[in-house]
Amino acid sequence: MTDPAMPAIFGTAPKTTTLDAPRSDLPELLTALADDLRNVGYTVDGVAGLLGESAHAALARDQLIPALIATEPADSAGDPATDGAKAALAVVVRLWLLAVPQTEDDVDAALPRIRTSGLVELGLVEKNDGGAVAAKVDLRPYGWECDSGADNSGSGGAELWVSSDLAAHQQPGVLRHDHVLGIGQASTTLVQTTIRRHSKRALDLGTGCGIQTFHLLHHSEHVTATDISERALAFTRFNLMLNAEALRLDPADLESRVSLRLGSLLEPVAGETFDLVVSNPPFVITPRSAGEHSSDQFTYRDGGLPGDDIVANLVRTLPDVLAPGGTAQMLGNWEIPAGSRWSERPASWLAGSGTEAWFIQREQVSPELYAETWLQDASEGRDRKLYRAAYAAYLEDFASRNVDAIGFGMIWLRRPESPRPGDAPARFEEITYPIEQPIGPHLAAAVERADWLDAHELSEAHLVVAEDVTEERHQRPGAEHPGVILLRQGAGLRRTNLLSTELAGFVSACDGELSVRQLIGALAALLGGGDDFDDDAFRAGLLSDVGNLVRDGFLLPAA
């Protein structure tokens, strides 16, 4: 069903086509749906309470059986009011989260304002051959308490409902190629990674079902959301209109806060600049074949370029749409050729750009594991012949470029306030262990510390040890001195730093009283004096090590 309001989304009328997406041009029905979902308790907490901890955790892993068992109609009679409320919520959960068809009478009783007829008109359900009500989309509760770290952004919590296509575990067969992805691990990772500060103009590049836009609206005056898929933009518009009240949007004047634009990558925003860009782009490295068309690709994950070119192109071009001082945060894959360090290829994308960058690699996998992950993602393993051919194509594609492994991680970019000569600072870290979430506030603090180091003379600073830092000392039994001294962070990126004797002594004396220069001088006097002691090298090396501890958040400027 084509949404009559769709041309307003894109600025120009789309081609005559059946988008097969929920309608967003029926405000009365959207209001009725929101009221019904709220009244039946279809919230994150409501669903968790209905299912119980174990079944809810299993559902988060796309395992439906425990939730199916938990929502089966009770045989024994209990409190009619309580049992009736639970039964109504169970109908909604089974309909949309578990994709189990429900009777029309049960749906009408659970959602009395919109009823089955309204859901059909919105394109959310359909009647199957047996007359039961079957979900056409996934419609699930989503919420957050707050976006920590936002600066005067009004970013309080929100309870929303988010529609997307039914996922692989909710339907048979291979996913459709224009599949609109729901809320997944990658999208929530980007949500948790994004630094939340007030911005006048933000860009959600490749919005999908709109999850990044929902968060951006809580600390940005205006958000532009783009996608190459008309269906994705239709889902996003539906989600915005359904949640207009929670997102503080005027349904009659959506453009005052949100602009939805159709197009590839940065084409829809050419010539514009933004304070913040976030993107979960279609970064999956997929074998390309001769004569391939875009309709042969999974638009939510395949950028249509060979190898990791889509991520490389974005790293090179995103600074063009950043205002001075503006930042971009995205997720991505990068290929690691045999015999090279993982950081070499990402570093080559930055050469001569003048863009500040920070890459954090969170995972590294073999070509075989990479192929298995993404073939399973689209349920391509359900067709044995297709799976064999596709798996072989992945391995051949990686081998053609001598790729030994594939990295996944987070990327932060910043356009400097003013151009600087030479290459801008770039940092490459591999952090594969669990970190604190959301990590965005800690990344923001790290950026602030780096800026502080650039603006201050470290030797004259007075430092203290951060509150979350602890020290570990390890030594052989009977040894006079420890052989290993470690500093550990209990928060944020949870780094561990191996200390030299002099650096351990410096940290132990950081109480804010003496300056860095004074402490280094005292340690030089205590540990030096020998004929082979190089005082200048000692002081310079220790000052550099202290700078690294400040940059990583082990040491902080005294208040």
Side-chain angles (χ1 to χ4, degrees):
M1 178 181 297
T2 302
D3 185 341
M6 287 301 290
I9 297 177
F10 310 117
T12 58
K15 296 178 181 178
T16 302
T17 182
T18 300
L19 293 180
D20 194 21
R23 294 183 62 173
S24 55
D25 62 323
L26 301 169
E28 295 84 359
L29 287 181
L30 291 171
T31 299
L33 174 60
D35 288 344
D36 276 345
L37 295 177
R38 191 178 299 110
N39 291 336
V40 81
Y42 193 51
T43 64
V44 174
D45 290 342
V47 172
L50 175 72
L51 298 182
E53 184 177 350
S54 296
H56 191 248
L59 186 60
R61 302 191 301 270
D62 298 337
Q63 299 299 318
L64 304 184
I65 302 303
L68 286 168
I69 296 172
T71 57
E72 286 178 349
D75 293 330
S76 58
D79 182 335
T82 301
D83 287 352
K86 288 184 177 179
L89 179 56
V91 167
V92 178
V93 169
R94 289 172 75 87
L95 175 65
W96 277 311
L97 296 186
L98 309 182
V100 176
Q102 303 294 297
T103 69
E104 183 170 352
D105 287 345
D106 284 345
V107 173
D108 289 349
L111 305 172
R113 287 199 60 192
I114 190 166
R115 303 175 65 84
T116 299
S117 59
L119 297 177
V120 170
E121 193 169 0
L122 284 175
L124 300 175
V125 303
E126 61 187 353
K127 296 281 195 70
N128 64 17
D129 293 339
V133 180
K136 290 185 65 177
V137 303
D138 179 297
L139 180 65
R140 64 182 53 221
Y142 173 73
W144 66 93
E145 293 184 0
C146 65
D147 283 334
S148 300
D151 180 17
N152 298 321
S153 62
S155 59
E159 287 191 354
L160 312 176
W161 301 282
V162 181
S163 68
S164 61
D165 275 324
L166 292 170
H169 65 284
Q170 296 169 308
Q171 60 180 325
V174 178
L175 297 182
R176 57 189 294 168
H177 284 84
D178 59 355
H179 177 83
V180 176
L181 192 67
I183 299 167
Q185 183 176 352
S187 57
T188 55
T189 295
L190 183 57
V191 165
Q192 294 168 327
T193 301
T194 301
I195 297 172
R196 305 287 172 189
R197 291 195 179 97
H198 175 266
S199 61
K200 289 186 176 181
R201 302 192 72 224
L203 171 63
D204 176 8
L205 180 66
T207 188
C209 68
I211 179 175
Q212 308 304 327
T213 291
F214 307 150
H215 285 266
L216 290 174
L217 281 167
H218 277 263
H219 60 97
S220 303
E221 294 177 23
H222 188 275
V223 179
T224 299
T226 69
D227 207 287
I228 197 172
S229 166
E230 292 188 20
R231 293 190 71 245
L233 290 174
F235 272 93
T236 296
R237 190 175 198 276
F238 173 85
N239 291 330
L240 291 171
M241 298 294 280
L242 177 62
N243 299 289
E245 181 179 352
L247 296 172
R248 298 187 291 276
L249 298 174
D250 179 358
D253 188 20
L254 193 64
E255 283 287 327
S256 65
R257 294 288 318 282
V258 186
S259 174
L260 302 180
R261 303 188 193 173
L262 179 67
S264 176
L265 300 178
L266 296 175
E267 291 174 0
V269 295
E272 300 179 56
T273 58
F274 301 87
D275 305 301
L276 172 63
V277 178
V278 299
S279 183
N280 180 18
F283 58 73
V284 177
I285 300 169
T286 308
R288 306 268 72 94
S289 58
E292 182 181 54
H293 299 285
S294 59
S295 59
D296 300 321
Q297 303 162 3
F298 292 99
T299 55
Y300 74 92
R301 70 178 205 188
D302 301 333
L305 298 178
D308 53 17
D309 281 358
I310 192 165
V311 178
N313 287 348
L314 283 173
V315 169
R316 294 186 182 111
T317 58
L318 275 174
D320 295 339
V321 300
L322 291 177
T327 59
Q329 292 188 254
M330 60 182 286
L331 306 179
N333 277 157
W334 38 83
E335 296 183 335
I336 306 172
S340 67
R341 297 188 304 274
W342 76 263
S343 59
E344 289 181 26
R345 185 161 174 78
S348 71
W349 303 338
L350 298 164
S353 68
T355 303
E356 299 174 59
W358 187 5
F359 283 72
I360 300 178
Q361 178 166 281
R362 297 288 287 139
E363 185 179 13
Q364 183 172 311
V365 300
S366 67
E368 290 82 4
L369 184 56
Y370 193 85
E372 293 161 15
T373 297
W374 291 108
L375 289 172
Q376 180 182 2
D377 174 77
S379 300
E380 292 174 269
R382 295 173 179 175
D383 183 328
R384 186 176 180 86
K385 185 177 180 180
L386 170 65
Y387 184 78
R388 178 183 177 89
Y391 200 132
Y394 267 100
L395 299 186
E396 182 180 352
D397 183 56
F398 285 128
S400 70
R401 294 186 297 278
N402 195 33
V403 173
D404 186 57
I406 302 93
F408 167 81
M410 309 178 293
I411 303 170
W412 174 88
L413 306 171
R414 181 167 66 177
R415 178 181 174 182
E417 291 280 357
S418 56
R420 62 173 72 191
D423 289 336
R427 184 171 190 173
F428 301 90
E429 290 187 86
E430 184 170 29
I431 301 177
T432 57
Y433 50 81
I435 59 179
E436 184 176 359
Q437 296 292 358
I439 197 61
H442 299 284
L443 300 183
V447 172
E448 290 173 358
R449 291 193 300 268
D451 290 343
W452 183 90
L453 284 169
D454 287 342
H456 293 79
E457 180 58 54
L458 178 60
S459 62
E460 300 305 319
H462 293 247
L463 304 176
V464 295
V465 180
E467 289 293 332
D468 65 307
V469 170
T470 58
E471 182 184 272
E472 293 181 15
R473 292 176 178 250
H474 302 267
Q475 61 191 75
R476 297 281 300 171
E480 184 177 356
H481 301 291
V484 176
I485 305 175
L486 302 174
L487 277 191
R488 293 192 185 275
Q489 290 177 321
L493 292 170
R494 294 172 175 159
R495 296 183 178 94
T496 298
N497 197 297
L498 177 64
L499 302 183
S500 63
T501 301
E502 58 268 26
L503 190 55
F506 182 95
V507 171
S508 66
C510 281
D511 58 6
E513 293 296 321
L514 299 177
S515 69
V516 170
R517 177 179 52 79
Q518 290 171 318
L519 290 176
I520 290 178
L523 286 167
L526 178 65
L527 300 175
D531 293 338
D532 59 347
F533 182 77
D534 188 330
D535 187 76
D536 289 340
F538 176 88
R539 290 172 184 266
L542 186 51
L543 183 63
S544 176
D545 289 341
V546 170
N548 289 334
L549 290 182
V550 173
R551 183 172 287 105
D552 288 344
F554 291 95
L555 298 176
L556 304 174

